Short mmCIF file of all heavy atoms in Angstrom, two decimals:
data_model
loop_
_atom_site.label_atom_id
_atom_site.label_comp_id
_atom_site.label_asym_id
_atom_site.label_seq_id
_atom_site.Cartn_x
_atom_site.Cartn_y
_atom_site.Cartn_z
N TRP A 1199 -6.95 9.05 26.14
CA TRP A 1199 -6.97 7.60 26.00
C TRP A 1199 -5.62 6.95 25.86
O TRP A 1199 -5.43 5.78 25.92
CB TRP A 1199 -7.89 7.24 24.88
CG TRP A 1199 -9.29 7.63 25.19
CD1 TRP A 1199 -9.97 8.63 24.58
CD2 TRP A 1199 -10.22 7.12 26.17
NE1 TRP A 1199 -11.20 8.77 25.14
CE2 TRP A 1199 -11.37 7.82 26.10
CE3 TRP A 1199 -10.10 6.06 27.06
CZ2 TRP A 1199 -12.44 7.55 26.91
CZ3 TRP A 1199 -11.21 5.68 27.91
CH2 TRP A 1199 -12.37 6.56 27.73
N HIS A 1200 -4.63 7.81 25.60
CA HIS A 1200 -3.29 7.29 25.43
C HIS A 1200 -2.46 7.42 26.68
O HIS A 1200 -1.25 7.03 26.72
CB HIS A 1200 -2.51 8.07 24.28
CG HIS A 1200 -3.13 7.77 23.03
ND1 HIS A 1200 -2.71 6.74 22.15
CD2 HIS A 1200 -4.10 8.39 22.23
CE1 HIS A 1200 -3.39 6.76 21.06
NE2 HIS A 1200 -4.23 7.75 21.00
N THR A 1201 -3.05 7.92 27.76
CA THR A 1201 -2.33 8.16 28.94
C THR A 1201 -2.72 7.01 30.01
O THR A 1201 -3.92 6.89 30.29
CB THR A 1201 -2.64 9.57 29.53
OG1 THR A 1201 -2.35 10.52 28.63
CG2 THR A 1201 -1.89 9.78 30.83
N ILE A 1202 -1.80 6.39 30.43
CA ILE A 1202 -2.05 5.41 31.51
C ILE A 1202 -1.02 5.53 32.69
O ILE A 1202 -0.04 6.21 32.49
CB ILE A 1202 -1.84 3.92 30.91
CG1 ILE A 1202 -0.46 3.70 30.38
CG2 ILE A 1202 -2.87 3.56 29.92
CD1 ILE A 1202 -0.23 2.27 30.06
N THR A 1203 -1.46 5.07 33.79
CA THR A 1203 -0.51 5.08 34.95
C THR A 1203 -0.06 3.71 35.22
O THR A 1203 -0.77 2.72 35.21
CB THR A 1203 -1.31 5.55 36.19
OG1 THR A 1203 -1.84 6.86 35.89
CG2 THR A 1203 -0.45 5.71 37.35
N ILE A 1204 1.32 3.59 35.36
CA ILE A 1204 1.88 2.32 35.61
C ILE A 1204 2.87 2.38 36.88
O ILE A 1204 3.29 3.55 37.15
CB ILE A 1204 2.79 1.83 34.44
CG1 ILE A 1204 3.84 2.79 34.09
CG2 ILE A 1204 1.87 1.53 33.17
CD1 ILE A 1204 4.80 2.30 32.98
N LEU A 1208 7.82 -0.75 36.92
CA LEU A 1208 7.60 -1.14 35.53
C LEU A 1208 8.03 -0.01 34.52
O LEU A 1208 8.58 -0.31 33.49
CB LEU A 1208 6.04 -1.40 35.25
CG LEU A 1208 5.63 -1.80 33.88
CD1 LEU A 1208 6.42 -3.06 33.35
CD2 LEU A 1208 4.16 -2.09 33.84
N ILE A 1212 10.65 -0.42 31.49
CA ILE A 1212 10.33 0.13 30.06
C ILE A 1212 11.43 1.20 29.67
O ILE A 1212 11.86 1.10 28.50
CB ILE A 1212 8.88 0.62 30.02
CG1 ILE A 1212 7.91 -0.53 30.22
CG2 ILE A 1212 8.64 1.39 28.72
CD1 ILE A 1212 6.56 -0.01 30.49
N LYS A 1215 14.64 -0.54 28.67
CA LYS A 1215 14.62 -1.30 27.41
C LYS A 1215 14.49 -0.26 26.22
O LYS A 1215 15.12 -0.54 25.24
CB LYS A 1215 13.30 -2.17 27.36
CG LYS A 1215 13.33 -3.22 28.37
CD LYS A 1215 14.26 -4.30 27.91
CE LYS A 1215 14.14 -5.55 28.80
NZ LYS A 1215 15.13 -6.60 28.39
N ALA A 1216 13.77 0.84 26.37
CA ALA A 1216 13.71 1.84 25.35
C ALA A 1216 15.14 2.41 25.06
O ALA A 1216 15.53 2.64 23.97
CB ALA A 1216 12.79 2.93 25.66
N LYS A 1219 17.23 0.11 23.03
CA LYS A 1219 16.89 0.03 21.63
C LYS A 1219 17.07 1.48 20.95
O LYS A 1219 16.99 1.56 19.79
CB LYS A 1219 15.48 -0.34 21.49
CG LYS A 1219 15.27 -1.77 21.87
CD LYS A 1219 13.82 -2.16 21.50
CE LYS A 1219 13.59 -3.70 21.66
NZ LYS A 1219 13.26 -4.26 20.39
N ILE A 1221 15.17 4.12 21.24
CA ILE A 1221 13.95 4.79 20.92
C ILE A 1221 13.24 5.33 22.08
O ILE A 1221 13.65 5.15 23.27
CB ILE A 1221 13.06 3.68 20.28
CG1 ILE A 1221 12.70 2.55 21.16
CG2 ILE A 1221 13.57 3.21 18.98
CD1 ILE A 1221 11.66 1.53 20.61
N SER A 1222 12.13 6.19 21.86
CA SER A 1222 11.39 6.72 22.94
C SER A 1222 10.61 5.73 23.75
O SER A 1222 10.35 4.59 23.30
CB SER A 1222 10.54 7.86 22.39
OG SER A 1222 9.45 7.18 21.76
N ILE A 1223 10.32 6.09 24.94
CA ILE A 1223 9.57 5.20 25.81
C ILE A 1223 8.25 4.93 25.19
O ILE A 1223 7.70 3.79 25.20
CB ILE A 1223 9.32 5.80 27.26
CG1 ILE A 1223 10.73 5.85 27.92
CG2 ILE A 1223 8.37 5.06 28.06
CD1 ILE A 1223 10.73 6.64 29.22
N ARG A 1224 7.62 6.01 24.57
CA ARG A 1224 6.35 5.80 23.92
C ARG A 1224 6.40 4.84 22.82
O ARG A 1224 5.53 3.94 22.64
CB ARG A 1224 5.81 7.17 23.45
CG ARG A 1224 4.45 7.06 22.82
CD ARG A 1224 3.98 8.42 22.40
NE ARG A 1224 2.84 8.79 23.22
CZ ARG A 1224 2.23 9.93 23.17
NH1 ARG A 1224 2.68 10.90 22.52
NH2 ARG A 1224 1.16 10.11 23.96
N ALA A 1225 7.41 4.94 21.97
CA ALA A 1225 7.59 4.05 20.78
C ALA A 1225 7.85 2.57 21.36
O ALA A 1225 7.31 1.68 20.75
CB ALA A 1225 8.78 4.53 19.96
N TYR A 1226 8.63 2.47 22.36
CA TYR A 1226 8.93 1.14 22.90
C TYR A 1226 7.61 0.43 23.44
O TYR A 1226 7.32 -0.69 23.17
CB TYR A 1226 9.99 1.10 23.93
CG TYR A 1226 10.20 -0.29 24.52
CD1 TYR A 1226 11.04 -1.14 23.83
CD2 TYR A 1226 9.64 -0.63 25.70
CE1 TYR A 1226 11.17 -2.45 24.29
CE2 TYR A 1226 9.78 -1.93 26.13
CZ TYR A 1226 10.56 -2.82 25.49
OH TYR A 1226 10.75 -4.08 25.95
N THR A 1227 6.80 1.27 24.13
CA THR A 1227 5.57 0.82 24.70
C THR A 1227 4.63 0.36 23.60
O THR A 1227 3.95 -0.68 23.69
CB THR A 1227 4.93 1.88 25.60
OG1 THR A 1227 5.95 2.30 26.60
CG2 THR A 1227 3.73 1.35 26.22
N ARG A 1228 4.53 1.15 22.55
CA ARG A 1228 3.61 0.78 21.35
C ARG A 1228 4.07 -0.51 20.79
O ARG A 1228 3.30 -1.38 20.51
CB ARG A 1228 3.63 1.95 20.33
CG ARG A 1228 2.83 3.07 20.77
CD ARG A 1228 2.70 4.08 19.66
NE ARG A 1228 2.06 5.27 20.07
CZ ARG A 1228 2.17 6.46 19.60
NH1 ARG A 1228 3.24 6.66 18.82
NH2 ARG A 1228 1.40 7.40 20.05
N GLN A 1229 5.49 -0.64 20.60
CA GLN A 1229 5.98 -1.90 19.96
C GLN A 1229 5.70 -3.11 20.81
O GLN A 1229 5.23 -4.12 20.40
CB GLN A 1229 7.41 -1.80 19.74
CG GLN A 1229 7.84 -0.91 18.64
CD GLN A 1229 9.42 -0.84 18.51
OE1 GLN A 1229 10.15 -1.53 19.27
NE2 GLN A 1229 9.87 -0.04 17.56
N ALA A 1230 5.84 -2.94 22.18
CA ALA A 1230 5.61 -4.01 23.09
C ALA A 1230 4.11 -4.43 23.13
O ALA A 1230 3.80 -5.48 23.13
CB ALA A 1230 6.05 -3.65 24.46
N LEU A 1231 3.36 -3.38 23.13
CA LEU A 1231 1.79 -3.69 23.18
C LEU A 1231 1.34 -4.36 21.93
O LEU A 1231 0.47 -5.27 21.85
CB LEU A 1231 1.06 -2.41 23.53
CG LEU A 1231 1.11 -1.90 24.91
CD1 LEU A 1231 0.44 -0.58 25.02
CD2 LEU A 1231 0.50 -2.87 25.90
N SER A 1232 1.88 -3.81 20.82
CA SER A 1232 1.45 -4.39 19.51
C SER A 1232 1.88 -5.86 19.36
O SER A 1232 1.18 -6.70 18.77
CB SER A 1232 1.90 -3.54 18.35
OG SER A 1232 3.28 -3.58 18.25
N SER A 1233 3.02 -6.17 19.84
CA SER A 1233 3.54 -7.55 19.73
C SER A 1233 2.64 -8.53 20.60
O SER A 1233 2.55 -9.70 20.26
CB SER A 1233 4.99 -7.66 20.14
OG SER A 1233 5.24 -7.50 21.52
N VAL A 1234 2.07 -7.97 21.72
CA VAL A 1234 1.26 -8.85 22.56
C VAL A 1234 -0.15 -8.92 22.05
O VAL A 1234 -0.71 -9.88 21.98
CB VAL A 1234 1.29 -8.24 23.95
CG1 VAL A 1234 0.21 -8.91 24.87
CG2 VAL A 1234 2.65 -8.31 24.63
N LEU A 1235 -0.64 -7.79 21.45
CA LEU A 1235 -2.00 -7.78 21.04
C LEU A 1235 -2.25 -8.29 19.71
O LEU A 1235 -3.31 -8.77 19.38
CB LEU A 1235 -2.52 -6.35 21.13
CG LEU A 1235 -2.53 -5.65 22.55
CD1 LEU A 1235 -2.93 -4.21 22.42
CD2 LEU A 1235 -3.52 -6.40 23.47
N LEU A 1236 -1.25 -8.30 18.83
CA LEU A 1236 -1.41 -8.80 17.45
C LEU A 1236 -1.06 -10.20 17.26
O LEU A 1236 -0.64 -11.06 17.54
CB LEU A 1236 -0.63 -7.91 16.47
CG LEU A 1236 -1.11 -6.42 16.49
CD1 LEU A 1236 -0.16 -5.66 15.54
CD2 LEU A 1236 -2.54 -6.31 16.03
#
Side-chain angles (χ1 to χ4, degrees):
W1199 298 105
H1200 292 272
T1201 303
I1202 59 171
T1203 302
I1204 60 173
L1208 179 57
I1212 292 170
K1215 293 288 187 179
K1219 291 187 171 239
I1221 59 177
S1222 71
I1223 293 170
R1224 181 178 248 175
Y1226 178 79
T1227 305
R1228 284 184 181 149
Q1229 287 179 2
L1231 287 172
S1232 66
S1233 69
V1234 170
L1235 298 174
L1236 299 177

